[in-house]
Amino acid sequence: MDTPSPTLNSPQSILKQYFGYDRFRPLQADVIEAVMNKKDCLVLMPTGGGKSVCFQVPALAQEGTCVVISPLIALMKDQVGGLKVNGIEAEFLNSSLSAKETAAVEQKCANGSLKLLYISPEKIFSESFQWLMGKMNVSMFAIDEAHCISFWGHDFRTEYTKLALLKENYPDVPIIALTATADNLTRKDIIRQLRLNDPEIFIASFDRPNISLDVLPANKRMQRIIDFLGRHQNEPGIIYSLSRKSTEQMAMDLKAAGFSALAYHAGMDTESRTRVQDAFRNDDVPIICATIAFGMGIDKSNVRWVIHHNMPKNIESYYQEIGRSGRDGAPAEALLFYSLNDISVQRSFLVDLPEEQRELQEAKLDRLVQYIETPFCRRKILLNYFNEDYSGNCSNCDNCRNPRNKFEATVLAQKALSAIARTEEQVSVSALSEILYGSKTQHIIEKGFDKIKTFGTGKEVKPDNWKLYILQMLNLGVMDIAYDENHHLKLNAKSKRILFEGEQVFLVEIQQSFKARTPGTRNIVADQDENVDDKLFEKLRRLRKKIADVESLPPYLIFNDNTLWAMVHEKPDNEEAMLDIQGIGVNKFDMYGKLFLDEIKNFFHRKSLPYNPSEKGSTQQYTYDLLMLGKSPESIARERNISLTTIYSHIASMYEKGNPMEIEKLLSAKEQKEIFEVLKRLGVKSALKEIFEALDQKYDYGKIRIGIAMYARSER
Ligand code: ADP
Ligand code: ZN
C-alpha cells in the first residue's frame, strides 16, 4: 500500500487516532499550537510529563519529516518501536545499525515517507546525512534531552554543542527543544546555544501527583522491604543502595525470600548490565537492586515503585530517582529509608571537595534531611525546593495520610544535653542513645558511662527512637555534631539556654509503621471486587507479555499499565467500547484490540458472573433521557464522564430502535452529505474503520455511527 498522503487533521483527532487519548495534558495543546505556527519552542516538563506528544502530533499534522535528535541511542529502538505500533512511519539512524539497515532508512528519508526520524547528534552532522537532509523536506527539529547542550546541566555532551549549526543551516525550520531539567542557567544556555529565535517557553509543573511519598527510619529495613514487596507482587520496581556489594547482597537476600531480583551496578561488565536491563524492560524480572548507575537509559513506563535502601545525596538526585516510577501516570510509590549512619556516610563523601563546593553540597544534604524530618506535606517541600509554589496538602504522602503530632520535648532534650555534658562531650549519637536508655554495652562499660548520673534516665524511649529524636534535635540546633571528632556531640549556646533557662523544645512523633497508600488504580467497591479486578489485570498483563515477546517489544509499549487498568475498570465488551479506552489508537486496536476483548470476555465467562443485559439498555436510556432534556452530547459526555464517542453511539442505537429525536441537529448538512456519500459507495455494513478512513479520518467514530443510523433509516 502507498503511504497515505500527509493528513492535515486537527491535533486533537491525531491524538485520538494514533495515541488513543481523548485529551491533551496541560500545556501539550499550547506547545503544539506554537510549533505548528513555526515558532521555536523550549519545553520543560518532568519525566513522564508527556513531552513526546508535543512534537509527535505536529509531525503527523504537517507535511515532511520531523527530525528528532536524541543522545540516548539505546532508547531509540524502543521509541521508534512504540511509534510503529501506533501506526506511525518512523525510523532511527545511529551507529547501532548495519550498513544495509542504514541504507534502507536513508532510502525512506529520501522518498519522504517518514513522519519522524530519530537520529544521534554524531550522525546528523556526518557528510552523507547532511547531503541527504538537503534533499529532505524537514518539517521541524525536535531536540530531546536538550540540557545536554549546557555545561551547567548534569549531563553535558560535546556532540550537542554542534547543534548550534542547525539554525545556521536551516533558518526556516522551527526547533523544539525539550528537557526535564529546569534550572534557570541551563534554560538560558539552551536558548543561546541553539540560537532559538524568540522562542516560546513552556514550563510545566514538576509535580508528579501519582507518585506517593513515604519516608521511614531504617530500623528493621529488610523486613519492611520484604513486607512491601509482598504487597507489590509482579510490580516492577527499583531498590537503590549505596554500594555495589549491598546491591548484590540485597538481590541474594530477596531471592532467598522467594522474590525474583537481580543486581545492577557499574562494576559489572557491559554484557551483564545489558542483560539485567533487558530482563527488567521486558518484565522478565520485576526487582532490580541497583546503585544509582541504573536508570539513565531506561524509558520503562511501568516502574511501579522505587525504594531508597540508603539515603540519596540531595533532593535533586532523590527526585530524579523516584521520577523513574509511574511515567505512565498510574499510581506509583516512593519509599525512602534514612538513618544517621547514611547521613554521616553522605557527609564523608564530601570532605575532600574544595571548600566552596563542599559547603554547597552540605547545604543540599541538609535540605534533604529537612525533607526527611518534616511533619508537613512532603510534596510541598519538594516543589518548593524546585521554586514551585504548592499549597499542599497532597494527601498522597505519609505526612498527609497520617499526620504526625508535635509534642513538647524539653525534658527529653535536657536529659540528652545533660548526658553530653557529663560525658564531657565525648559521645556519638548511638552511644548517647544507649546511655539514655541504660544499655550496658561493652563500649559503655569500658568508658564508664554506666556510672554517670544520667545513665538510664530515658528508659521510656527505645534506643532506636532516641537516635531519631537526637537527629531531630540536631536539625533544630539543640546541640552540634563534630564530624571531624569522631562525630561526637557538642553543646552550643542553644543547648545552654535549654538546660539552664528553660527554653522549650518541640519534636515530632516518629513514623513507625508504613500505612499503605489508599488505592488509586483500583476502583474498589468491595474487597471481592478488588480481587476480581486484580485477577483480570493479571490476565491482561500476561496476555500483554505474550504479545510483547512475539513482537520483540517491551510490554509497556504494547499498552501501558494505565490502559490495562482502564480495560479492567471499563470491562469493554464490544469493539467500540474498546476504542474508547484511553491509550488505544486505531492501529493498536486493529492489531491487539480483539485479543484483549476476547481475554476479557473469556474471563467473565469462565467466572460466570451474572451478565445483566438490561444494564446495557439503561445506560443508553439514560443518555437518551438527558438528550431529551435538551442537553448536548458534549455536556452529557462531561456529566456522565463517558467519552463523546460512546455518547454518540448510545444516541445512534436509541435512534435505531425507533426512539424519536431531532437527530438532524447532531450532524450538520455538510457532515451528513459527506458521510452519506461514503456510505453510498462502501455500504452501511462496512467496518467503521474503513468508513473513518474513507472520510479522511475527519469524523469521530461516534458521529459516523449517527450518520449510519440516519442513512439506514432513510434507506428504509
Ligand atoms: P516524557 O518524554 O515527558 O517523559 P512521555 O512523552 O514518554 O513523557 O509520556 C509519558 C506517558 O504519558 C506515556 O505513557 C504517554 O503515552 C502518556 N501520555 C502522553 N500524553 C498523554 C495524554 N494527553 N493523555 C494521556 N496520556 C498521555
Ligand atoms: Zn502531602
Side-chain angles (χ1 to χ4, degrees), residues 109-133:
C109 293
N111 73 21
S113 62
L114 292 181
K115 296 304 329 172
L116 290 123
L117 174 72
Y118 282 68
I119 189 165
S120 58
E122 300 86 7
K123 195 87 186 172
I124 193 170
F125 292 111
S126 70
E127 230 170 87
S128 63
F129 189 75
Q130 280 294 303
W131 179 83
L132 182 59
M133 201 156 72

Side-chain angles (χ1 to χ4, degrees), residues 376-380 393-401:
F376 304 115
C377 173
R378 295 197 192 276
R379 204 167 305 273
K380 184 178 164 68
N393 299 319
C394 75
S395 46
N396 200 20
C397 73
D398 49 2
N399 289 340
C400 282
R401 274 193 306 269

Side-chain angles (χ1 to χ4, degrees), residues 382-436:
L382 282 180
L383 292 171
N384 287 353
Y385 181 83
F386 294 113
N387 300 318
E388 199 176 309
D389 209 18
Y390 183 86
S391 51
N393 299 319
C394 75
S395 46
N396 200 20
C397 73
D398 49 2
N399 289 340
C400 282
R401 274 193 306 269
N402 195 13
R404 287 188 287 161
N405 294 324
K406 265 192 166 186
F407 64 99
E408 215 237 84
T410 314
V411 174
L412 284 187
Q414 284 169 341
K415 285 178 182 172
L417 293 173
S418 143
I420 295 171
R422 285 173 197 278
T423 53
E424 293 172 344
E425 303 184 318
Q426 297 298 307
V427 281
S428 65
V429 174
S430 69
L432 177 63
S433 308
E434 286 163 358
I435 293 169
L436 290 164

Side-chain angles (χ1 to χ4, degrees), residues 536-550 555 558-559 564 567 578 592-600:
L536 177 56
F537 183 85
E538 187 52 26
K539 284 218 79 123
L540 300 182
R541 198 179 70 82
R542 281 176 199 221
L543 172 62
R544 172 175 75 175
K545 170 70 176 146
K546 263 194 246 165
I547 296 173
D549 285 347
V550 173
I558 302 295
F559 287 130
L564 287 198
M567 290 186 208
M578 196 70 175
Y592 318 122
K594 178 103 178 32
L595 293 172
F596 280 85
L597 255 183
D598 287 349
E599 193 74 13
I600 295 167

Side-chain angles (χ1 to χ4, degrees), residues 43-55:
V43 177
L44 302 147
M45 273 187 191
T47 312
K51 287 186 280 298
S52 334
V53 158
C54 295
F55 59 85

Side-chain angles (χ1 to χ4, degrees), residues 15 19 21-26 28 45-56 79 86 144-145 178 180 299 301 326-329 556 560 562 582-583:
L15 184 72
F19 301 94
Y21 298 128
D22 282 343
R23 269 171 294 274
F24 284 110
R25 294 233 183 101
Q28 282 178 333
M45 273 187 191
T47 312
K51 287 186 280 298
S52 334
V53 158
C54 295
F55 59 85
Q56 289 167 350
Q79 286 165 340
N86 279 331
D144 212 1
E145 313 290 344
L178 309 106
D299 228 359
S301 74
R327 286 189 194 195
D328 50 18
Y556 61 89
N560 71 23
N562 244 349
Q582 294 301 294

Side-chain angles (χ1 to χ4, degrees), residues 393-629:
N393 299 319
C394 75
S395 46
N396 200 20
C397 73
D398 49 2
N399 289 340
C400 282
R401 274 193 306 269
N402 195 13
R404 287 188 287 161
N405 294 324
K406 265 192 166 186
F407 64 99
E408 215 237 84
T410 314
V411 174
L412 284 187
Q414 284 169 341
K415 285 178 182 172
L417 293 173
S418 143
I420 295 171
R422 285 173 197 278
T423 53
E424 293 172 344
E425 303 184 318
Q426 297 298 307
V427 281
S428 65
V429 174
S430 69
L432 177 63
S433 308
E434 286 163 358
I435 293 169
L436 290 164
Y437 183 69
S439 306
K440 290 200 171 175
T441 62
Q442 196 184 349
H443 172 77
I444 298 290
I445 295 168
E446 271 170 17
K447 292 274 181 187
F449 290 157
D450 54 333
K451 303 286 185 311
I452 67 169
K453 214 174 152 194
T454 27
F455 184 78
T457 51
K459 261 200 174 0
E460 68 278 19
V461 178
K462 292 257 162 57
D464 276 342
N465 288 352
W466 261 119
K467 284 188 202 166
L468 299 170
Y469 285 139
I470 295 168
L471 177 61
Q472 284 189 35
M473 292 182 203
L474 279 166
N475 274 329
L476 293 171
V478 169
M479 71 277 275
D480 292 336
I481 184 163
Y483 291 104
D484 51 352
E485 279 181 49
N486 296 322
H487 297 81
H488 285 165
L489 298 167
K490 306 286 169 185
L491 302 179
N492 59 23
K494 190 178 172 80
S495 318
K496 290 177 184 146
R497 288 200 301 275
I498 295 164
L499 274 175
F500 307 118
E501 294 165 26
E503 184 172 313
Q504 286 189 315
V505 177
F506 288 89
L507 297 181
V508 177
E509 282 174 359
I510 292 159
Q511 193 95 34
Q512 284 301 356
S513 66
F514 182 74
K515 251 200 192 169
R517 69 173 149 82
T518 32
T521 21
R522 296 147 209 224
N523 228 345
I524 299 173
V525 181
D527 282 351
Q528 213 183 354
D529 281 357
E530 178 190 16
N531 232 332
V532 171
D533 280 2
D534 282 351
K535 280 186 186 145
L536 177 56
F537 183 85
E538 187 52 26
K539 284 218 79 123
L540 300 182
R541 198 179 70 82
R542 281 176 199 221
L543 172 62
R544 172 175 75 175
K545 170 70 176 146
K546 263 194 246 165
I547 296 173
D549 285 347
V550 173
E551 303 266 9
S552 295
L553 273 178
Y556 61 89
L557 286 181
I558 302 295
F559 287 130
N560 71 23
D561 280 10
N562 244 349
T563 300
L564 287 198
W565 277 113
M567 290 186 208
V568 167
H569 294 151
E570 310 273 327
K571 305 178 179 50
D573 62 356
N574 60 60
E575 299 197 345
E576 257 172 89
M578 196 70 175
L579 259 172
D580 260 2
I581 301 275
Q582 294 301 294
I584 307 189
V586 172
N587 201 63
K588 277 191 185 170
F589 172 76
D590 284 348
M591 296 213 288
Y592 318 122
K594 178 103 178 32
L595 293 172
F596 280 85
L597 255 183
D598 287 349
E599 193 74 13
I600 295 167
K601 282 188 192 158
N602 245 330
F603 178 80
F604 286 108
H605 183 66
R606 233 176 288 134
K607 293 203 56 90
S608 65
L609 278 188
Y611 172 60
N612 184 358
S614 72
E615 210 166 85
K616 185 103 197 113
S618 67
T619 179
Q620 294 174 348
Q621 182 72 46
Y622 188 32
T623 296
Y624 177 73
D625 291 344
L626 293 173
L627 188 74
M628 288 300 105
L629 285 173

